[in-house]
């Protein structure tokens, strides 16, 4: 008798709960997809230079690699990906691409931690290490990994000179990063 009387009420509550959970998950996980327009941003580099996406795009495509920043340690996967991108710096330059490495985190010690990350790395002219204080870009790109000891979902985007995302790879783990060859292959398709 109770099932008949309250069954629809329970079913409605469960449907609403599931619908709300699905909608929240979709909002958090909806980073810019291929074909969408990339949100503009302005960030400062470690040296204090201001860089803006719309200005960089006037020179050619932009590879945007969002790192994990400092989740309590310097991320080995971020170091590996950065080393791989730097190893292909001449190929990116030949494609007239600018590479922006985004280092997100709380503003308080961000410069110090980013400086530690940059130590021993030489960035060519077409590479920038940009600070993302208090996750401004990370939030705009919906990449905030809001869990204990986490910062941002690692992600790589290729943005063409019209501001459209032509390659997107977002990892929900520490690994699964875009390889330099994947990004270079996507860059090669832009010129065709």
């Amino acid at each position: 008798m109770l099932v008949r009387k309250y069954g629809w009420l329970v079913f409605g509550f469960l449907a609403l709960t599931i619908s709300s959970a699905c909608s929240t998950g979709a909002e958090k996980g909806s980073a810019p997809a291929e074909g969408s327009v990339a949100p503009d941003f302005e960030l400062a580099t470690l040296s204090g230079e201001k860089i803006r996406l719309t200005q960089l795009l006037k020179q050619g495509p932009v590879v945007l690699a969002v790192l994990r920043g400092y989740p309590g340690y310097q991320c080995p996967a971020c170091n590996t990906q950065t080393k791989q991108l730097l190893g292909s710096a001449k190929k990116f330059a030949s494609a007239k691409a600018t590479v922006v490495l985004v280092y997100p985190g709380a503003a308080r010690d961000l410069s110090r931690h980013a400086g530690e990350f940059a130590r021993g790395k030489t960035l060519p002219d077409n590479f920038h290490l940009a600070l993302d204080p208090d996750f401004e870009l990370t939030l705009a790109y919906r990449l905030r990994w809001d869990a204990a000891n986490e910062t941002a979902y690692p992600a790589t985007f290729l943005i063409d000179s019209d501001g459209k995302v032509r390659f997107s790879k977002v990892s929900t783990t520490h690994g699964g990063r875009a390889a330099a060859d994947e990004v270079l292959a996507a860059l090669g398709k832009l010129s065709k």
Side-chain angles (χ1 to χ4, degrees):
M1 180 83 172
L2 284 176
V3 172
R4 271 193 229 159
K5 188 173 182 180
Y6 295 106
W8 286 107
L9 181 62
V10 170
F11 176 78
F13 174 77
L14 286 174
L16 181 61
T17 303
I18 290 168
S19 171
S20 295
C22 290
S23 125
T24 302
E27 290 168 13
K28 286 184 180 178
S30 57
E34 290 180 29
S36 67
V37 175
D40 194 14
F41 62 82
E42 180 176 289
L43 299 172
T45 65
L46 191 54
S47 64
E49 173 191 3
K50 297 279 187 186
I51 58 169
R52 184 174 202 92
L53 178 61
T54 50
Q55 292 301 314
L56 294 173
L57 291 173
K58 291 178 182 178
Q59 302 165 26
V62 171
V63 176
L64 183 69
V66 179
L67 307 172
R68 290 181 61 229
Y70 189 80
Y73 56 93
Q74 295 297 344
C75 173
C78 293
N79 273 303
T80 299
Q81 183 185 29
T82 299
K83 183 178 179 183
Q84 189 183 73
L85 292 169
L86 286 169
S88 297
K90 288 181 182 176
K91 292 177 182 176
F92 285 113
S94 292
K96 306 235 185 295
T98 300
V99 179
V100 178
L101 305 166
V102 177
Y103 195 91
R108 186 171 160 229
D109 291 324
L110 190 59
S111 292
R112 180 171 60 86
H113 293 307
E116 292 167 1
F117 179 79
R119 193 172 298 130
K121 296 175 180 79
T122 302
L123 299 181
D125 291 341
N126 63 321
F127 274 67
H128 300 282
L129 178 59
L131 305 178
D132 182 19
D134 295 329
F135 305 99
E136 186 177 313
L137 177 136
T138 303
L139 290 167
Y141 276 69
R142 296 183 176 225
L143 296 169
R144 181 72 167 99
W145 192 346
D146 198 11
N149 301 318
E150 297 301 347
T151 53
Y153 290 110
T156 305
F157 304 95
L158 171 61
I159 305 165
D160 71 13
S161 56
D162 292 328
K164 288 194 176 174
V165 176
R166 296 300 177 192
F167 173 87
S168 171
K169 187 167 186 176
V170 179
S171 177
T172 56
T173 68
H174 297 168
R177 311 294 180 93
D181 288 344
E182 287 180 276
V183 181
L184 287 165
L187 260 170
K189 292 177 186 175
L190 290 184
S191 58
K192 293 180 182 177

